[in-house]
Amino acid sequence: MDIAALIAWVITALGGFYMLGTWLSRGGAKAGNSRLPVPVLFGHFALAAVGLVVWTGYVITEKAALAWTAFGLLLPVALLGFTMLARWLPVHRARTAGAAAGQQPEPAERYFPVPVVAGHGLFAVVTVVLVLLTALKIGGS
């Protein structure tokens, strides 16, 4: 199960990298109209990356403290992720009429593909569950 969690985490990270790249290439915070606060976005990214490194350490060593540390890191990652999802949904639902009329450019996160957002969230939930089950030693490793 620890390898399944690692695979799920890597897939989640790939979706996150894609969205971060999209956000940055579309102007990100420089455009001045993003609803995703920079500290939230980069905090989510940094904690998830550190957690992935810790989880990889657990997979190699099987030290329980690393499993619980990785799970502990996932909790704020999930909270920040839900925060960004809540701020992204209104942007996604907004029509492009305002930008077409020249009022103001669309936020960078408007260009996140829905399947990538959904897949990122789904694999994130799977990752949290698998990491918790592994830390609890349920289902074997």
Side-chain angles (χ1 to χ4, degrees), residues 19-29 34 36 38 41 108-109 112:
M19 289 187 288
L20 178 61
T22 299
W23 189 77
L24 290 171
S25 70
R26 296 290 186 158
S34 178
L36 301 180
V38 173
L41 187 120
E109 59 271 18
F112 292 169

Side-chain angles (χ1 to χ4, degrees), residues 113-141:
V114 174
V116 175
V117 174
H120 181 71
L122 176 66
F123 277 98
V125 170
V126 168
T127 300
V128 170
V129 169
L130 290 176
V131 167
L132 177 59
L133 291 175
T134 302
L136 291 171
K137 299 190 185 299
I138 296 174
S141 41

Side-chain angles (χ1 to χ4, degrees), residues 20-104:
L20 178 61
T22 299
W23 189 77
L24 290 171
S25 70
R26 296 290 186 158
K30 289 181 183 177
N33 60 350
S34 178
R35 291 187 39 88
L36 301 180
V38 173
V40 172
L41 187 120
F42 284 103
H44 177 77
F45 169 75
L47 288 171
V50 169
L52 179 55
V53 170
V54 171
W55 186 253
T56 302
Y58 168 75
V59 170
I60 293 168
T61 66
E62 294 192 13
K63 293 189 179 198
L66 292 176
W68 284 108
T69 301
F71 179 72
L73 287 166
L74 281 175
L75 297 178
V77 169
L79 181 62
L80 294 171
F82 280 122
T83 300
M84 288 189 294
L85 177 65
R87 295 180 68 94
W88 172 79
L89 284 171
V91 171
H92 169 67
R93 291 181 181 143
R95 300 284 178 218
T96 59
Q103 292 176 349
Q104 63 175 287

